[in-house]
Amino acid sequence: MSTIHDFKVDDWLRRLLPGRCAFCLAACETTAPWCSACHAALPWNLAACPVCAEPQLGGHRCGHCLRRMPAFEAARVPLRYEGELAVLMRRFKFQASPRAGSLLLALLEEALREAPRPEALLAVPLHPHRARQRGFDQARWLAERLSTRLDIPLVVAQRRRDTPSQRGLDRQRRGRNLRAAFRVEAALPSEVALLDDVMTTGATLDALARACRRAGAERIEAWAVARTPMTN
């Protein structure tokens, strides 16, 4: 859960270097925490599959989605997991850096500014055992703040099994690893969005989307900050 301390940290970060870019410390032209040059240089995921956001040329539906549609209709993932963005994400995910998290949240919020608002937002949950080990749930951290800023109700999903790490698994093994891994006990509204920090093959978000459909959701979008290239 969010705490008063969390929001004080966010306020402190905004006041730390007012008017200075968080990446290069140059003067900012707007109230955003970045200058236009650094913002333009980020690895934007512009030509991506409209369903799973796989980075590719042309922005057409990718071969994986043509062969098998995921349980969500569309993905909104504004950045690619590379370069400066990957460094920032690792600091957030593995070091619980509030500075990195606040920047990533601001970038995601900017990218979603014109997106239709769903009726509920669900973060990809960690299993309680994994959450205790790590001590930080990055998707929940992002979702709590995004829920407040975009005025979208937050619904909590549960991870039923402490699944092995997805790292190093191919697309098919990731899907098997996550079969029936999630549960949503609350009855969901028709339109929901699912949130994770990084989307790799989309298997985790696909598995959570299936649990959401069982709970009544009809249109589901997958949201994440960054997308890695698709693996086979």
Side-chain angles (χ1 to χ4, degrees), residues 138-206:
Q138 70 278 358
R140 180 66 179 267
W141 192 96
L142 289 169
E144 287 175 345
R145 286 156 178 77
L146 196 66
S147 168
T148 298
R149 295 186 185 189
L150 300 184
D151 193 24
I152 304 172
L154 186 64
V155 176
V156 177
Q158 295 178 335
R159 198 161 193 140
R160 301 172 65 183
R161 296 187 291 110
D162 188 9
T163 55
S165 171
Q166 297 281 80
R167 199 169 302 165
L169 300 182
D170 62 21
R171 182 181 177 86
Q172 290 186 341
R173 291 166 66 196
R174 282 172 179 258
R176 290 196 297 268
N177 189 34
L178 289 161
R179 193 168 295 154
F182 300 108
R183 177 175 58 209
V184 180
E185 293 186 344
L188 291 178
S190 176
E191 299 183 2
V192 304
L194 315 180
L195 180 66
D196 207 353
D197 55 343
V198 178
M199 184 176 180
T200 303
T201 66
T204 301
L205 288 157
D206 180 44

Side-chain angles (χ1 to χ4, degrees), residues 64-189:
H64 292 293
C65 291
L66 286 172
R67 289 191 295 271
R68 177 187 175 275
M69 278 284 291
F72 50 83
E73 280 80 8
R76 299 180 190 272
V77 188
L79 292 148
R80 300 191 309 274
Y81 185 76
E82 59 185 53
E84 180 77 18
L85 195 283
V87 173
L88 199 62
M89 185 65 74
R90 287 193 290 270
R91 288 174 181 164
F92 171 58
K93 189 168 185 172
F94 300 114
Q95 300 174 23
S97 165
R99 172 191 174 275
S102 294
L103 278 172
L104 294 169
L105 179 63
L107 289 166
L108 179 60
E109 183 182 5
E110 179 198 44
L112 295 171
R113 188 172 296 152
E114 303 301 324
R117 294 291 182 261
E119 298 170 276
L121 179 66
L122 295 89
V124 170
L126 287 176
H127 189 273
H129 176 67
R130 186 72 57 88
R132 285 193 297 271
Q133 282 185 326
R134 184 177 293 179
F136 178 60
D137 187 338
Q138 70 278 358
R140 180 66 179 267
W141 192 96
L142 289 169
E144 287 175 345
R145 286 156 178 77
L146 196 66
S147 168
T148 298
R149 295 186 185 189
L150 300 184
D151 193 24
I152 304 172
L154 186 64
V155 176
V156 177
Q158 295 178 335
R159 198 161 193 140
R160 301 172 65 183
R161 296 187 291 110
D162 188 9
T163 55
S165 171
Q166 297 281 80
R167 199 169 302 165
L169 300 182
D170 62 21
R171 182 181 177 86
Q172 290 186 341
R173 291 166 66 196
R174 282 172 179 258
R176 290 196 297 268
N177 189 34
L178 289 161
R179 193 168 295 154
F182 300 108
R183 177 175 58 209
V184 180
E185 293 186 344
L188 291 178

